[in-house]
Amino acid sequence: MLEKFYPNIYLDSAYEIQYDDLYKKGFRGIIFDVDNTLVEHGAPVNDKAAALFEYLHKMGFETCIISNNKEYRVKPLAKAVASKYVSNAHKPSPKNYIEACKMMGCSTSNVFFVGDQIFTDVWGANRAGIMSILVKPIAKHEEIQIVLKRKIEKIVLYYYKNKKKG
């Protein structure tokens, strides 16, 4: 039952993903969450995020940021990293994950998603049939509704990690 929430890959950071290996495997598009995945919640794009997107674009990846935030938050971030974007995405609905694939000229089979939350990010990607990579959140301080979700996420991660061991 919990398997629908399991990521395909679980890592410490979006900055340690082996993007070149995934490119060699045929992936051509990356959908990113932004807050606590690429930058701290509410923070602008930093040099680390800008350098990552420059590297990814030079490699040949298309990128799209999808966020449940409003356009005034997402558009400047996407512009700063020369990425397509979908704001007000209503994650975990699969609709805008699929829309992001179309915007990048990709299909769900050659795109992967990177995000920090199980019940919005990973579940939405899984529902859309897109490979999901869960990363640990950047910031330790989060809004109360996210703090509460993190407690439930710990249960899912416990079973996920035990399944991976066995």
Side-chain angles (χ1 to χ4, degrees):
M1 179 180 134
L2 293 177
E3 288 84 1
K4 65 184 173 185
F5 300 113
Y6 291 173
N8 295 98
I9 300 170
Y10 180 40
L11 297 169
D12 286 339
S13 169
Y15 298 98
E16 66 178 44
I17 295 169
Q18 299 298 309
Y19 293 102
D20 51 339
D21 289 346
L22 292 167
Y23 192 85
K24 288 175 190 168
K25 289 180 180 176
F27 289 95
R28 293 300 179 260
I30 310 170
I31 303 171
F32 284 99
D33 173 55
V34 67
D35 284 322
N36 263 345
T37 297
L38 295 169
V39 297
E40 286 192 28
H41 186 81
V45 167
N46 56 31
D47 291 342
K48 191 174 185 178
L52 174 62
F53 275 76
E54 184 177 343
Y55 169 74
L56 295 172
H57 292 150
K58 281 183 181 174
M59 191 184 307
F61 276 113
E62 291 290 327
T63 61
C64 188
I65 293 171
I66 69 170
S67 174
N68 286 345
N69 279 307
K70 295 189 175 15
E71 186 168 25
Y72 68 82
R73 167 72 178 137
V74 184
K75 184 177 181 177
L77 294 166
K79 185 177 180 182
V81 296
S83 182
K84 294 164 180 66
Y85 72 94
V86 177
S87 58
N88 215 12
H90 302 287
K91 295 182 287 183
S93 169
K95 178 184 175 196
N96 284 312
Y97 290 81
I98 294 165
E99 180 62 27
C101 291
K102 290 177 186 173
M103 291 170 70
M104 293 185 292
C106 296
S107 69
T108 57
S109 63
N110 68 352
V111 167
F112 62 94
F113 176 83
V114 181
D116 70 298
Q117 292 188 56
I118 289 175
F119 299 117
T120 51
D121 297 333
V122 170
W123 189 28
N126 291 348
R127 290 175 72 196
I130 295 170
M131 186 177 90
S132 58
I133 299 177
L134 177 68
V135 296
K136 292 179 182 174
I138 293 172
K140 301 298 178 215
H141 303 288
E142 298 180 296
E143 296 172 347
I144 187 67
Q145 71 272 18
I146 295 174
V147 171
L148 296 173
K149 279 197 271 184
R150 296 278 186 215
K151 291 182 184 299
I152 301 168
E153 283 183 354
K154 285 182 181 178
I155 296 166
V156 174
L157 286 171
Y158 170 82
Y159 287 103
Y160 167 78
K161 289 174 185 175
N162 282 335
K163 183 180 178 187
K164 290 290 179 187
K165 286 181 190 173

